[in-house]
């Protein structure tokens, strides 16, 4: 298969990048290399490139090469979870550095910054990045990293990635976009960010059966080298089997994300006209405040949506209790549809309204999902 991935389309890259027919056996599906250690040459060198699995492993290398090709990056580093990836990025900064993060960032990311890394003297301002002037206002001389997330969690706020990346670039600040909710359909590196971040636990894995995280670098620069060092020195690395599963998930990622998006658009349209629904948050809806920006930077609007039930927390809990096809569970990006009362999982300090339900729209038939919600909302 050609190694010039720019010559082929994303579906083709997804199937072939990071993958070779096994030269030893001809196996078409990649073998899983469980070995923790690799043979040295007689001269004491490692000509085949692998020494010890915390440092590198054939399955991890395949995953990193594959995802990097898919995102058109220079390099990627895979970790045991999305949060381990975020840890590595923040740990690559220094005490006294300042971070700007989106106010509606993933709850775990916010907690990492406002709790754990505060003790390590990393200062963070959380701003609503859908307001560009708010971003400019909190820039400081010691600002080192800017963390976007779009669509955000769970309110599906839209950040103008190109505009915020430009503000960061002008100020000499590293920009990262958490693209977990919109792989394939949104390409942050092309929009100008320095890094794209994914919790591969979600759409990349795609079947709710593997945890992982990955960061893709536009340039293999000093900062990325620090992240790489933290990866193999810190050791929060994914297992070979986890890497294999995520890379397998990538093969169907473009098709799945398209189907998730088509289903979610139908469910959002249905919910938007329902008398017992107060409000629907889906960037594909014309009524969504971020719709125009979303249209500019996304080719489809993704599989995630939230809605508020009329009647507050109690009504929302009742809807979630009544669904039969939607499973009440956290997380997202799997083939099965999930529904979640977000405020009660996030606990004190949540930005989620009490009447809000977050849905990860799966790959079931959209009419079955709509009929399930119809019963639950009746
Ligand atoms: C799940 C998620 C994370 C965290 O990833 P884990 O794999 O659970 O550690 C980060 N950002 C977003 C947007 C997520 O949905």
């Amino acid at each position: 298969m050609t190694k010039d991935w720019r010559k082929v389309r994303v579906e083709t890259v997804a199937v072939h990048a990071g993958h070779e027919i096994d030269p030893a056996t001809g196996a078409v599906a990649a073998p899983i290399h469980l070995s923790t250690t690799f043979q040295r040459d007689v001269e004491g060198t490692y000509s085949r490139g692998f020494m010890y699995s915390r440092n590198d492993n054939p399955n991890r290398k395949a995953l990193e090469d594959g995802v990097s090709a898919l995102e058109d990056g220079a390099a990627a580093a895979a970790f045991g979870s999305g949060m381990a990836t975020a840890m590595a990025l923040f740990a690559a900064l220094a005490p006294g550095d300042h971070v700007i993060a989106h106010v509606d960032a993933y709850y775990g990311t916010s907690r990492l910054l406002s709790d754990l890394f505060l003790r390590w003297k990393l200062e963070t301002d959380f701003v609503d990045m859908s307001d560009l002037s708010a971003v400019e206002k909190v820039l400081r001389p010691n600002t080192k990293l800017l963390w976007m997330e779009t669509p955000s969690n769970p309110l599906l706020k839209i950040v103008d990635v190109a505009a915020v990346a430009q503000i960061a670039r002008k100020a000499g600040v590293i920009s990262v976009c958490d693209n977990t909710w919109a792989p394939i359909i949104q390409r942050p590196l092309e929009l100008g960010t320095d890094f794209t971040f994914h919790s591969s636990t979600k759409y990349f894995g795609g079947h709710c059966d593997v945890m992982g995280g990955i960061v893709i670098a536009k340039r293999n620069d000093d900062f990325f080298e620090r992240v790489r060092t933290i990866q193999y020195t810190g050791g929060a690395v994914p297992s070979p089997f986890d890497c294999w599963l995520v890379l397998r998930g990538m093969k169907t990622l473009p098709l799945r994300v398209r189907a998730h998006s088509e289903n979610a658009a139908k469910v959002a349209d249905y919910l938007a006209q329902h008398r017992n629904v107060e409000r629907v948050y889906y960037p594909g809806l014309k009524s969504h405040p971020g719709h125009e920006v979303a249209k500019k930077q996304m080719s489809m609007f993704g599989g995630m949506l939230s809605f508020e039930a009329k009647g507050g927390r109690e009504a929302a809990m009742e809807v979630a209790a009544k669904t039969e096809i939607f499973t009440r569970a956290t997380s997202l990006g799997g083939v099965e549809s999930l529904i979640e009362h977000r405020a009660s999982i996030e606990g004190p300090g949540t930005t989620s309204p009490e009447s809000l339900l977050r849905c990860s729209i799966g790959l079931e038939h959209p009419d079955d999902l709509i009929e399930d919600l119809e019963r639950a909302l009746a």
Side-chain angles (χ1 to χ4, degrees):
M1 184 66 211
T2 167
K3 287 288 187 284
D4 190 355
W5 300 113
R6 283 171 211 203
K7 285 197 180 137
V8 292
R9 288 143 195 92
V10 72
E11 291 82 356
T12 311
V13 182
V15 170
H16 291 285
H19 187 65
E20 273 170 13
I21 302 296
D22 180 36
T25 62
V28 171
I32 300 170
H33 296 277
L34 294 175
S35 188
T36 53
T37 186
F38 297 84
Q39 188 188 34
R40 284 173 89 161
D41 306 318
V42 282
E43 308 80 45
T45 49
Y46 286 96
S47 60
R48 285 161 289 195
F50 300 102
M51 178 181 84
Y52 181 61
S53 258
R54 172 157 48 70
N55 294 34
D56 205 357
N57 166 283
N59 292 102
R60 191 163 96 219
K61 183 170 186 327
L63 173 64
E64 291 173 346
D65 289 350
V67 176
S68 178
L70 191 78
E71 294 278 8
D72 203 8
F79 292 81
S81 70
M83 292 329 290
T85 315
M87 282 279 295
L89 282 160
F90 300 139
L93 298 169
D97 284 352
H98 176 239
V99 175
I100 305 175
H102 187 40
V103 70
D104 199 29
Y106 176 70
Y107 194 68
T109 308
S110 308
R111 201 160 49 186
L112 208 53
L113 285 167
S114 61
D115 184 0
L116 211 143
F117 276 98
L118 190 67
R119 287 167 48 87
W120 291 86
K121 305 266 183 288
L122 216 57
E123 300 159 15
T124 305
D125 271 310
F126 295 93
V127 295
D128 184 345
M129 293 191 181
S130 52
D131 175 3
L132 297 177
S133 64
V135 179
E136 278 174 325
K137 231 176 269 165
V138 294
L139 278 171
R140 297 190 209 160
N142 60 336
T143 306
K144 287 285 155 57
L145 188 142
L146 188 152
W147 185 280
M148 298 172 229
E149 182 180 322
T150 183
S152 72
N153 189 358
L155 297 175
L156 290 112
K157 287 193 179 187
I158 299 297
V159 174
D160 186 332
V161 178
V164 174
Q166 194 179 2
I167 293 173
R169 196 174 331 110
K170 266 194 198 151
V173 172
I174 296 161
S175 57
V176 184
C177 183
D178 182 339
N179 205 35
T180 300
W181 284 27
I184 307 288
I185 53 179
Q186 177 173 273
R187 300 176 61 80
L189 297 186
E190 283 175 14
L191 293 166
T193 67
D194 299 312
F195 294 94
T196 291
F197 164 99
H198 290 280
S199 161
S200 47
T201 310
K202 316 297 170 54
Y203 287 105
F204 266 87
H207 296 75
C208 293
D209 54 11
V210 58
M211 298 214 63
I214 192 157
V215 58
I216 307 101
K218 181 133 179 165
R219 286 169 304 275
N220 204 342
D221 59 8
D222 289 351
F223 184 78
F224 183 72
E225 278 307 315
R226 266 207 304 282
V227 172
R228 176 70 82 199
T229 304
I230 291 165
Q231 179 197 34
Y232 67 74
T233 316
V237 292
S239 77
F241 185 48
D242 291 352
C243 294
W244 187 91
L245 277 174
V246 174
L247 189 60
R248 181 172 76 167
M250 188 176 97
K251 294 176 193 299
T252 53
L253 182 65
L255 296 179
R256 284 186 289 107
V257 170
R258 193 177 305 149
H260 282 292
S261 298
E262 283 167 4
N263 281 0
K266 286 179 185 154
V267 173
D269 280 341
Y270 162 77
L271 287 169
Q273 53 78 49
H274 200 287
R275 65 188 186 287
N276 292 336
V277 172
E278 188 72 52
R279 198 167 162 193
V280 182
Y281 302 85
Y282 186 66
L285 292 175
K286 284 202 183 66
S287 59
H288 189 284
H291 178 68
E292 285 308 316
V293 175
K295 216 165 65 179
K296 194 176 68 172
Q297 65 191 19
M298 303 175 83
S299 58
M300 295 183 89
F301 300 105
M304 294 300 295
L305 61 85
S306 296
F307 67 96
E308 288 184 59
K310 270 188 193 153
R313 179 191 173 99
E314 228 169 279
M317 291 301 244
E318 203 180 314
V319 173
K322 280 193 189 155
T323 55
E324 289 169 8
I325 294 175
F326 281 86
T327 300
R328 283 180 308 283
T330 193
S331 199
L332 58 116
V335 294
E336 56 286 281
S337 291
L338 305 177
I339 190 163
E340 178 184 32
H341 185 253
R342 200 64 205 160
S344 52
I345 192 111
E346 290 184 349
T350 177
T351 54
S352 302
E354 284 290 348
S355 55
L356 182 135
L357 291 167
R358 191 186 82 177
C359 298
S360 171
I361 302 298
L363 299 180
E364 300 93 340
H365 195 288
D367 293 347
D368 291 326
L369 297 177
I370 288 169
E371 285 165 20
D372 196 30
L373 290 167
E374 177 80 25
R375 272 192 302 272
L377 281 161

